[in-house]
Amino acid sequence: MAEVKMFGAWGSPFSKRVEMGLKLKGVEYEYIEEDLNNKSSLLLNYNPVHKKVPVLVHNGKPIAESLIILEYIDEAWEGPDILPKDPYERANARFWAKFIDEKCMPPMWKACWSIGEERAKAKEEASEALKFLENEINGQKFFGGDTIGLVDIAANFIGYWFRIAEEIVGLELMTQDKYPNLCKWAEEYCKCSFVKENLPPKDKLADIFKGIIQAQSAPK
Ligand SMILES: N[C@@H](CCC(=O)N[C@@H](CS)C(=O)NCC(=O)O)C(=O)O
């Protein structure tokens, strides 16, 4: 029997991407929760370059970086496709997944935790990037069409984590009037059974976000 281990952190959207991929394919795995303040020597050994979760270990061989791991899962196991079969569509899915990592998530996160001019700039950058995603859905249920695929899983931060953070920090960015397609997508994505079962509890994430606010406002 193939041995599959996954090193993750419960609140990490990157870790959850990998778990979503494994769940989608129906792969059984052993989950190992990492303490990111005190990383295990196994994690550092398996991911010496980035020293981050997630790491997937398949038959003793480690793979790091969530998007790379998702592609690996798609190639290594049978089951519903994560990437489309058509080469052009595959390239397109990779393009948007990379776009989410590079152009959407950094300014969205920054907009949550910055103030003043810095927040305004991050908000503008994030709004621009989200407009492209808003158009990309183009009347479909998911980025992948009728079923969840690479881009949907890559965008899980946008569909879940960010919306909770927005509420906690009182930020208005991904609003229904500006991004109706994205808001609808987020709803559909989060209510999909294997996604819903695997998302971290909202109140636990909210506590983490409140903790960040408190730490920021504590006297230095
Ligand atoms: N590009 C990476 C990002 C992974 C990442 O940022 N992981 C965070 C948790 S959300 C981490 O392990 N942080 C620990 C650290 O930076 O020391 C991926 O897609 O897997």
Side-chain angles (χ1 to χ4, degrees):
M1 246 269 285
E3 195 197 74
V4 184
K5 291 185 182 176
M6 198 237 141
F7 290 75
W10 69 266
S12 159
F14 301 103
S15 294
K16 289 294 177 187
R17 283 177 175 173
V18 172
E19 289 196 81
M20 298 293 176
L22 292 169
K23 299 263 189 227
L24 183 63
K25 291 278 185 186
V27 178
E28 302 255 332
Y29 61 98
E30 180 191 344
Y31 175 75
I32 298 137
E33 174 75 17
E34 273 292 324
D35 175 356
L36 296 180
N37 294 315
N38 183 21
K39 294 171 190 164
S40 71
S41 49
L42 265 181
L43 177 75
L44 299 177
N45 208 23
Y46 282 139
N47 190 3
V49 175
H50 298 297
K51 304 179 175 64
K52 289 184 178 186
V53 292
V55 172
L56 185 79
V57 185
H58 187 194
N59 291 327
K61 292 187 278 189
I63 307 126
E65 288 294 302
S66 59
L67 295 179
I68 309 276
I69 301 172
L70 283 172
E71 292 211 27
Y72 177 83
I73 293 171
D74 202 29
E75 288 165 10
W77 285 282
E78 301 285 325
D81 289 332
I82 297 177
L83 274 96
K85 287 268 178 270
D86 174 75
Y88 181 73
E89 284 178 25
R90 278 173 91 80
N92 235 355
R94 291 184 179 116
F95 174 88
W96 288 111
K98 191 166 187 275
F99 175 81
I100 287 165
D101 271 8
E102 291 176 358
K103 298 284 182 195
C104 300
M105 288 174 68
M108 288 172 91
W109 191 243
K110 197 163 187 184
C112 289
W113 310 112
S114 54
I115 49 166
E117 228 174 87
E118 212 184 337
R119 175 178 268 194
K121 192 166 167 271
K123 247 182 112 170
E124 198 182 310
E125 247 180 75
S127 305
E128 286 287 301
L130 286 178
K131 262 185 231 154
F132 284 106
L133 279 190
E134 172 74 8
N135 293 336
E136 188 51 25
I137 298 185
N138 199 15
Q140 304 179 113
K141 187 170 177 188
F142 298 113
F143 288 100
D146 293 335
T147 54
I148 287 179
L150 181 77
V151 184
D152 301 284
I153 298 176
N156 68 3
F157 169 81
I158 299 171
Y160 188 66
W161 280 254
F162 179 69
R163 310 198 86 197
I164 299 171
E166 243 186 333
E167 205 180 302
I168 301 290
V169 303
L171 178 74
E172 278 202 1
L173 208 167
M174 203 173 109
T175 52
Q176 175 70 35
D177 59 326
K178 284 203 187 118
Y179 303 97
N181 295 342
L182 270 180
C183 292
K184 178 97 183 64
W185 163 83
E187 217 177 280
E188 293 290 345
Y189 178 73
C190 293
K191 78 177 185 212
C192 191
S193 61
F194 81 96
V195 172
K196 198 156 102 187
E197 283 159 21
N198 199 37
L199 288 170
K202 184 177 171 183
D203 52 346
K204 263 181 97 179
L205 276 184
D207 285 347
I208 298 279
F209 296 149
K210 285 177 195 158
I212 300 179
I213 298 177
Q214 267 172 10
Q216 279 184 333
S217 53
K220 302 249 157 46

